[in-house]
Amino acid sequence: MTTGMAVTGTATMTGIWAQPDRAYRIAQAKDSRFDGWFIVAVRTTGIYCRPSCPARTPNRENTQFFPTAAAAQNAGFRACRRCLPDALPGSPEWDLRADLAGRAMRLIADGVIEREGVAGLASRLGYSQRHVTRVLTEELGAGPLSLARAHRAHAARLLIETTALSFSDIAFASGFASVRQFNDTIGAVYAATPSRLRSARHRRVADTQGRLAVRLPVRAPMDSAGVLGFLATRAIPGVEELTEDGYARTLRLPHGPAVVRLRFEDGSGGRAAVHCSFSLTDVRDLATAVTRVRRLLDLDADPVAVDEVLGADPALRDSVTASPGIRVPGAVDAAELIVRAVLGQQVSVAAARTALGRLCAELGDRITEPDGTLRTLFPTAEVLAERGGEVLRGPRRRVETVVGAMRALADGSLGAHLGRDPAELRADLEALPGIGPWTAGYVVLRLLGAPDVLLTGDLALRKGAEALGLPDTVNGLLRHANRWRPWGSYAGMHLWRAAHLASAERAPARSA
């Protein structure tokens, strides 16, 4: 199957922090759309803030701009306790950028340095530690250890403010080597002791039944109905479920299994959020779990920029108006996504869901304390490589493709993680027997959150194009798609939705 795919490495808003006059105008306007894109630091107070901080805008000569909170901390600034600049949607830049810095930031957010150190980060990126440190310091104003330190500080603050855990438990759960290091970092970053942070949090959400409650901010608008619909139609029994007010699923995390329950808050005045309730085996996994939920729901997207570009195309204008803030759902596990893609490339969504349910029921690990119907983890690559052929039904070649891909994941010959270069990952996938351009493109689209992947060979996507009056041939659609860059992935979601609406009374078209 032919696939059209383009991955960009830059965006129109990349590097706002390096454009001080523009950054200052954004800070003056207190434009929340740019929260997470850059940091505003005030020399006279030693505080750094988000661009929309409600405090009085400092004079231009007293401001300094940084790409990350870690860079501001390295320069001696402390986080504003009023606007909480670390409690932000992540920068869309890390999805737009396929370069070393962007890939490193995705891995650091997933907790790789806490688990594997800088050596592990560098190994995943395919460079020496020295080179990775040099590039991150030059481009982001902070090396990998400083970036990880900022990540740990944010994880610690979440636990301080949302749990009743002791500070010593929080220190080690957040990845600090000692309580002293924890206290020193909290003091340096927030200019407060852990006790003061906890007492200042007047509306702390109490834990219930061992769960941790976290509110994740979202850039509005957010097409929550579209995300829920996408996840619900693909939900694997025992692993995922659609709830009365949201979505829930099991997670396989570094230190043990977990269950997350999600509820969307549309909010008022553009203050959308997702409320998460985590049941964790080990509280050290909280920050990683949060990062994976953010990627699953594509919460760090820039919906205003996406809608402006796609809405300018008359063919997509009505769809953008009907579904503002469309998202591209991501993935929480590489093995799960690859199996979904391979099984879904030749059958309907419903048939793929049935096959995946049987696979998980027979090979998935059972969690010790089931949460309602959620009692199963998606099988590991190792288990699928060994026993997948015994359980999977259907054409022999398709079964062999799944088993072969899982074997490559299990033995390390296929690296499928957030630090991969999109083009290199695509090439590695296509080198595996039975995996073609469509499957490889779909994995890159959802695993890496690549913003400009258009699966022009997808039958449902081309039916959507036809329904919207767009060219429905591969070459014709590719030519038209030039006007959608760098948001081809989001345009694809609109085309899939158009196909679904056009065939609502018929059998659903194939799409994984």
Side-chain angles (χ1 to χ4, degrees):
M1 187 173 292
T2 305
T3 301
M5 178 174 174
V7 181
T8 62
T10 59
T12 56
M13 289 195 290
T14 296
I16 293 177
W17 68 276
Q19 307 169 51
D21 290 338
R22 183 184 180 196
Y24 186 71
R25 290 194 299 272
I26 291 171
Q28 282 182 309
K30 302 190 182 301
D31 193 336
S32 61
R33 294 178 302 167
F34 296 90
D35 285 351
W37 277 97
F38 65 98
I39 292 294
V40 182
V42 186
R43 295 189 181 96
T44 51
T45 62
I47 299 296
Y48 69 85
C49 305
R50 61 175 74 189
S52 68
C53 182
R56 183 178 67 84
T57 305
N59 293 334
R60 173 66 184 83
E61 63 271 17
N62 294 327
T63 55
Q64 189 172 349
F65 304 101
F66 295 95
T68 61
Q73 292 167 21
N74 267 5
F77 294 94
R78 303 184 304 275
C80 174
R81 293 202 300 273
R82 184 173 181 181
C83 72
L84 297 175
D86 61 339
L88 288 170
S91 173
E93 190 171 348
W94 312 132
D95 286 338
L96 284 165
R97 291 176 61 162
D99 62 4
L100 178 60
R103 291 184 283 126
M105 283 298 289
R106 294 197 291 268
L107 286 172
I108 291 170
D110 195 55
V112 165
I113 288 183
E114 280 75 17
R115 298 191 297 271
E116 303 174 21
V118 178
L121 173 70
S123 176
R124 285 174 176 262
L125 294 169
Y127 292 92
S128 68
Q129 295 184 54
R130 182 177 180 182
H131 182 70
V132 170
T133 299
R134 180 181 62 80
V135 170
L136 294 183
T137 301
E138 288 179 356
E139 298 199 22
L140 305 180
L145 288 177
S146 294
L147 292 164
R149 175 177 178 262
H151 183 259
R152 283 195 296 272
H154 174 54
R157 188 185 62 78
L158 275 177
L159 292 172
I160 290 169
E161 295 182 347
T162 63
T163 77
L165 291 172
S166 70
F167 293 141
S168 60
D169 286 342
I170 291 174
F172 294 109
S174 305
F176 290 98
S178 66
V179 174
R180 179 176 180 178
Q181 185 188 63
F182 162 74
N183 287 328
D184 289 346
T185 298
I186 295 299
V189 173
Y190 300 110
T193 64
S195 297
R196 185 176 175 187
L197 284 180
R198 176 163 281 177
S199 63
R201 185 64 171 174
H202 300 301
R203 294 190 301 163
R204 187 191 325 147
V205 180
D207 300 344
T208 58
Q209 299 179 348
R211 295 191 175 99
L212 302 179
V214 178
R215 180 182 182 275
L216 304 180
V218 178
R219 287 188 181 88
M222 171 76 185
D223 179 28
S224 55
V227 172
L228 287 174
F230 185 96
L231 296 175
T233 57
R234 294 157 177 80
I236 304 171
V239 176
E240 305 168 274
E241 68 176 11
L242 191 68
T243 64
E244 287 186 5
D245 55 359
Y247 165 83
R249 69 159 294 148
T250 61
L251 297 170
R252 187 185 296 278
L253 297 173
H255 298 98
V259 173
V260 60
R261 293 189 171 275
L262 309 175
R263 176 174 61 84
F264 288 89
E265 173 193 338
D266 291 334
S268 58
R271 297 180 64 84
V274 175
H275 293 269
C276 306
S277 175
F278 293 100
S279 297
L280 302 172
T281 300
D282 192 317
V283 74
R284 286 178 294 175
D285 283 328
L286 177 61
T288 298
V290 166
T291 295
R292 294 187 184 179
V293 167
R294 295 198 68 85
R295 297 194 66 82
L296 176 66
L297 304 180
D298 194 18
L299 296 187
D300 296 332
D302 186 354
V304 174
V306 172
D307 288 355
E308 283 179 354
V309 171
L310 301 186
D313 184 346
L316 294 184
R317 187 172 299 146
D318 289 345
S319 183
V320 171
T321 300
S323 304
I326 202 166
R327 296 301 204 268
V328 178
V332 298
D333 179 78
E336 177 184 326
L337 178 61
I338 292 172
V339 174
R340 284 180 183 270
V342 173
L343 293 183
Q345 65 182 334
Q346 295 177 341
V347 299
S348 69
V349 172
R353 180 184 177 186
T354 299
L356 289 164
R358 182 171 59 247
L359 188 69
C360 292
E362 297 198 31
L363 299 182
D365 294 332
R366 301 295 182 266
I367 59 178
T368 305
E369 298 180 7
D371 187 337
T373 65
L374 302 176
R375 59 187 66 241
T376 308
L377 295 170
F378 195 88
T380 64
E382 290 78 6
V383 168
L384 290 169
E386 181 180 352
R387 299 189 55 204
E390 304 170 10
V391 177
L392 287 169
R393 305 287 184 267
R396 181 172 61 86
R397 184 176 178 183
R398 188 172 68 202
V399 174
E400 291 174 348
T401 297
V402 171
V403 173
M406 294 302 99
R407 187 177 296 119
L409 267 183
D411 67 21
S413 57
L414 172 64
H417 54 74
L418 299 178
R420 291 303 309 275
D421 173 84
E424 292 177 359
L425 175 57
R426 183 190 183 198
D428 287 351
L429 286 165
E430 290 187 31
L432 296 174
I435 291 187
W438 183 91
T439 305
Y442 186 81
V443 172
V444 168
L445 171 75
R446 294 192 59 192
L447 182 64
L448 302 185
D452 203 14
V453 177
L454 189 65
L455 302 173
T456 53
D458 184 87
L459 178 60
L461 188 144
R462 284 160 55 193
K463 287 184 176 180
E466 181 183 14
L468 295 176
L470 290 164
D472 60 355
T473 64
V474 171
N475 290 335
L477 191 54
L478 274 176
R479 285 193 296 271
H480 188 91
N482 285 327
R483 69 186 66 189
W484 298 335
R485 290 184 172 179
W487 310 116
S489 301
Y490 297 87
M493 294 301 297
H494 281 290
L495 299 185
W496 270 334
R497 183 162 300 181
H500 174 73
L501 293 174
S503 60
E505 297 182 358
R506 304 194 303 272
R510 178 193 60 77
S511 171

